Amino acid sequence: MCDAPGCGHNATERPPGRRGRNWSGPFRSTPDRLFGMGFIRLYQLTLSSLIGNSCRHMPTCSEFGYEAIARHGLWAGGWMTFFRVTRCGPGGTSGFDPVPERLEERQVWWKPWTYWRRAGKYAA
């Protein structure tokens, strides 16, 4: 973008339709969330390019993990990410599989297996 006076655009706003790779919604910036999100971002910038694009879901597993940790914290989001990566293997699921907006009541921290869910079954 140009910075010429009177050009008609604001240099600080992003062009429409251009978004970052990861979720940019609101979240609490707690140390555990920042650590988890930073770890996933480090993976995206380093190892992801070596492994290749082999995720069968949309959003990709690393994007899912980033958003899950940002929304639900390192513990719940980390378990959701772990179970998502296990679903991505051979014989697993594929397709559109977003992070749920809210956790279900049955999903409590002392029962991490409750974060497992089949693709296509979402809490509204």
Side-chain angles (χ1 to χ4, degrees):
M1 291 190 177
C2 70
D3 290 326
C7 67
H9 71 270
N10 185 354
T12 58
E13 68 183 36
R14 285 198 259 179
R18 302 262 335 235
R19 290 186 45 205
R21 177 176 176 180
N22 294 314
W23 186 67
S24 59
F27 65 92
R28 291 187 325 196
S29 297
T30 58
D32 63 326
R33 290 176 196 220
L34 295 176
F35 172 77
M37 292 164 55
F39 183 75
I40 290 177
R41 188 65 183 139
L42 179 68
Y43 162 78
Q44 288 175 338
L45 294 173
T46 57
L47 296 175
S48 179
S49 62
L50 298 174
I51 294 173
N53 187 9
S54 61
C55 190
R56 300 167 10 162
H57 293 97
M58 187 62 177
T60 65
C61 292
S62 62
E63 292 170 358
F64 180 93
Y66 189 93
E67 182 177 349
I69 291 172
R71 284 188 180 198
H72 304 298
L74 184 60
W75 182 259
W79 280 109
M80 292 169 76
T81 303
F82 172 75
F83 291 133
R84 164 69 181 272
V85 170
T86 60
R87 287 195 311 265
C88 204
T93 60
S94 63
F96 185 63
D97 184 21
V99 176
E101 296 276 331
R102 294 179 303 281
L103 295 176
E104 298 174 15
E105 288 185 27
R106 67 178 181 86
Q107 294 174 320
V108 291
W109 70 269
W110 66 85
K111 295 192 286 186
W113 59 88
T114 60
Y115 297 113
W116 171 271
R117 63 186 174 85
R118 294 185 324 195
K121 303 294 181 189
Y122 309 111

